[in-house]
Amino acid sequence: MATTVRRTVLTLPAAPVGPPNPLPALRPLDEMHAIDERTRAELPREMARQIGYEPLRTLLPVRVLDGYGRDRAAADLDVIVIENDHLRATVLPGLGGRIHSLHHKPTGRELLYRNPVFQPADFALNGAWYSGGIEWNIGATGHTTLSCAPLHAAVVPAPDGGEMVRLWEWERLRDLPFQVDLWLPADSAFLHVGVRIRNPHEKPAPVYWWSNIAVEEHATTRVLAPADEAWHFGYERSLRRVPVPEHRGADRTYPLRSEYPADYFYEVPPETRKWIASLDAAGQGLVQTSTDTLRGRKLFLWGSGRGGRRWQQWLTEPGTPGYAEIQAGLARTQLEHVRLDGGEEFSRLESYGPLAADPGTVHGEDWGAARAEVEARLADALPREAVDAAYEAWLPCADAEPGTRLALGSGWGALEVQRGGHKLPGTPFDESTLGEEQAPWRELLTSGVLPEPRRVAPPGPSLVAPHWRDMLETAPADPLTEYHLGVAQWHAGDLAQAVRSWERGLALAPSRWPLLRCLAVADQEGGNGQRAADRYLEAFDDLCQERRDDGEAWTAVLAALAREAIDALLAADRPADARSVWSRLRPAVRQRGRFRLAEARLLLAEGRPREARAVFDEGFEVADLREGAEILNEVWAATTDDPLPDAYEYRMRPQG
């Protein structure tokens, strides 16, 4: 059959993503993938330089997604299906453009780990993320802020005269447009993926890209890559070079032979073909290869310990197979960012398809022979020259204008194109996509004035790039403008000026809580915990008086501010004030897992450990528990000496 592209609907048990957190993300990132300065000093020069290259201070201008829960119901998800005689790829344009499934039709095999549910969890840089499939990570170290966001999608002409699917969006952390072209030639058992990241600005930008591929994990699953060494990153925040495959008495290329979650960034020689494969007991599975620009390869494993197994259950349905991730990136490790000069672009081609190799050799003790067998079978199935030729054939199509639209992304790209006058062939950001969130910023752009909102509501998102900050500085200094200006100044590292802007706005603001909350964060970051607690309490009081209804937006901001206020008040040893905040929440909000945990902490602060233990005994789930967080075991240990129950075991590193 000729390659076809069609739209359809996939029905899955799904937990809604929920509304974004209305509070601007002012605090430093809590990304787990960081190392100390002593470790960095021992790394190769290029790696150390790229690890230190412009790491993010905040998530701004992106908002945090933490409004999801654990209750799932059948939901219809829009999907795009790309299909020929060999493969059927199912894409989720509304959820980061992820490839949900890659089905090999001749054998009936699913080549990926296909999650049977959609369950957000707190793994993305901005919160909501879900496991499974192939995800496109751009922005900064961690899972992309676009994990649960819609992308633009359209049909474009393929190099072989057929059709391919283009996904594109404006990545807001680094202010860069990108595209992903999915091309399945009619006679091919490999899906080609052309990726382009452009820097339309005059100044250089730090770039991050990793393609994360979830594959089913069994006792006999082996991950192979062309390397004899790897950089091991555990959740102790250390990065060290280790041998491959055996390390500390176990073959770490079998994911279940490790106890704790870990990353292995393979040291692939520059001249070697770039590939990574996951093969089962029969020597069958998935292989990914690419042009040489995508130099990095990685294995992430959950391990066989209690914490890793619990996370696996948390992210999907109990009783379903676990997964590991094989990954490919621009740098050797995910802690690095690569410089992209102004007016330049990064482009490359990836290929995904089935592989069958001799199982005895693949699972033999001779690592060199196992690698050579996979490399030989890959050369038979898809020669290195064929990937390079496919890349050269795709490049002239990268600028082709999209045809039939399949899905719409956000309006932020259209706003940036309108502001900067950027010419981006192949990735149009149409004015028609501008929406309610972009409207006040468009007016600032055209009139020099940030308009007052038409109704009382939590402030909309702030823009923080230098050009928007310049416009805010010259706009009339009303309280809302001072609020957004302070957020932009804070993001730029001008903390003192941000505080001055917020204080100026506070003097005349009819709505005081947004500015008080910003000032409370500034106090916390400055080490003034008591004043931060005072301001949080005042902000929460003001919000309770201003709240207009129990709709989604007001409920979201009340819960978000209460959570921060309770933390600040407990840190300041003011449990009575923290209790007053908790008690003013609606019963439905207090029953959320995050606030059940807060209740246990309140009870401990009030000297009532037995009642705190009872909260755990009744059972709760913190839906937005952060990757690597140890708050559950810390609070449990304060209530009892009993062992931590499996239901609360999420530890990702050895204890002690």
Side-chain angles (χ1 to χ4, degrees), residues 641-656:
D641 292 328
D642 291 346
L644 183 69
D646 284 345
Y648 303 113
E649 176 60 273
Y650 294 93
R651 288 175 287 191
M652 300 177 73
R653 62 187 177 96
Q655 302 300 297

Side-chain angles (χ1 to χ4, degrees), residues 26-27 486 490 494-496 498-500 502-503 515-529 531-532 535-536 564:
L26 300 175
R27 289 187 175 81
W490 182 271
D494 193 350
L495 310 189
V499 168
R500 284 192 286 271
W502 291 327
E503 288 176 340
L515 293 150
L516 286 166
R517 182 264 176 178
C518 290
L519 290 167
V521 173
D523 285 333
Q524 283 183 316
E525 295 301 306
N528 195 333
R531 191 166 67 183
R535 281 176 160 160
Y536 266 120
E564 291 187 10

Side-chain angles (χ1 to χ4, degrees), residues 81-90 99-112 114 184 188-189 191 286 353-354:
V81 177
I82 312 164
E83 185 171 11
N84 67 5
D85 280 333
H86 301 274
L87 291 177
R88 180 170 60 248
T90 304
I99 298 179
H100 172 71
S101 167
L102 191 61
H103 179 78
H104 186 228
K105 295 166 71 173
T107 61
R109 293 170 59 90
E110 174 58 50
L111 300 180
L112 305 175
R114 182 178 58 193
L184 182 58
S188 177
L191 175 70
L286 173 80

Side-chain angles (χ1 to χ4, degrees), residues 82 91 99 136 164-165 167 180-184 191-193:
I82 312 164
V91 183
I99 298 179
W136 320 113
M164 64 181 177
V165 172
L167 307 165
V180 177
D181 287 357
L182 306 174
W183 170 33
L184 182 58
L191 175 70
H192 296 317
V193 181

Side-chain angles (χ1 to χ4, degrees), residues 188 306 362 400 455:
S188 177
R306 291 174 67 205
V362 165
R455 54 188 173 84

